[in-house]
Amino acid sequence: MTSNVVETRLPRSNTSRLSNEAERPTAAADQFSRAKQLAQSLLSERGEASGALLARELHGVLRGLDAGDRQGFQRYLATKFQPDTAALRVAAERYLADSTAEAAAALAQAADPPRQNCCGG
């Protein structure tokens, strides 16, 4: 009996291309995670120089993300970088009880989401 099994071989260039594509999701996930880490760090940094360095690095990482991951990062900012609900409630109640300019300013500050301090969001 003879075997009718046909062996298919890809040219070496296609094989290496497929290998790189298989690695791409992990590398993309690492970049997406790095962007989230940098955004968190940027919020916690208080020094102007270190903040500028983090912002530059974050910008570079974001430029390397594909459109889907950039959109995912924007969703991350929109959902995880919300104003502090308790502080917002206190400021709103203060403003309702005393409608002064100071109470209004405190309410506006409490309503600002942290992402505006991070990424201009």
Side-chain angles (χ1 to χ4, degrees), residues 10 22 29 34 39 41-43 47 65 71 73 85 92 97 102 105 119-120:
L10 294 172
R34 181 70 182 141
S41 295
L42 197 53
L43 280 180
L65 296 178
Q71 188 176 38
F73 181 75
T85 306
E102 292 82 18
C119 307

Side-chain angles (χ1 to χ4, degrees), residues 72-96:
F73 181 75
Q74 290 168 349
R75 268 193 305 276
Y76 168 74
L77 290 178
T79 58
K80 300 298 182 189
F81 285 57
Q82 294 293 318
D84 180 338
T85 306
L88 184 57
R89 180 180 307 279
V90 167
E93 289 171 354
R94 178 178 168 217
Y95 177 75
L96 290 173

Side-chain angles (χ1 to χ4, degrees), residues 2-94:
T2 56
S3 173
N4 289 335
V5 175
V6 176
E7 187 176 328
T8 304
R9 293 182 187 226
L10 294 172
R12 285 191 192 274
S13 61
N14 285 343
T15 304
S16 64
R17 185 176 60 82
L18 290 173
S19 172
N20 290 341
E21 287 176 4
E23 294 169 7
R24 189 178 307 152
T26 301
D30 289 346
Q31 287 296 90
F32 185 69
S33 293
R34 181 70 182 141
K36 292 192 304 187
Q37 280 179 330
L38 288 167
Q40 287 282 359
S41 295
L42 197 53
L43 280 180
S44 64
E45 284 297 319
R46 295 294 173 226
E48 189 174 322
S50 58
L53 286 171
L54 284 170
R56 247 189 310 265
E57 186 177 352
L58 176 59
H59 183 258
V61 170
L62 292 175
R63 289 184 67 194
L65 296 178
D66 65 22
D69 282 342
R70 279 193 305 274
Q71 188 176 38
F73 181 75
Q74 290 168 349
R75 268 193 305 276
Y76 168 74
L77 290 178
T79 58
K80 300 298 182 189
F81 285 57
Q82 294 293 318
D84 180 338
T85 306
L88 184 57
R89 180 180 307 279
V90 167
E93 289 171 354
R94 178 178 168 217

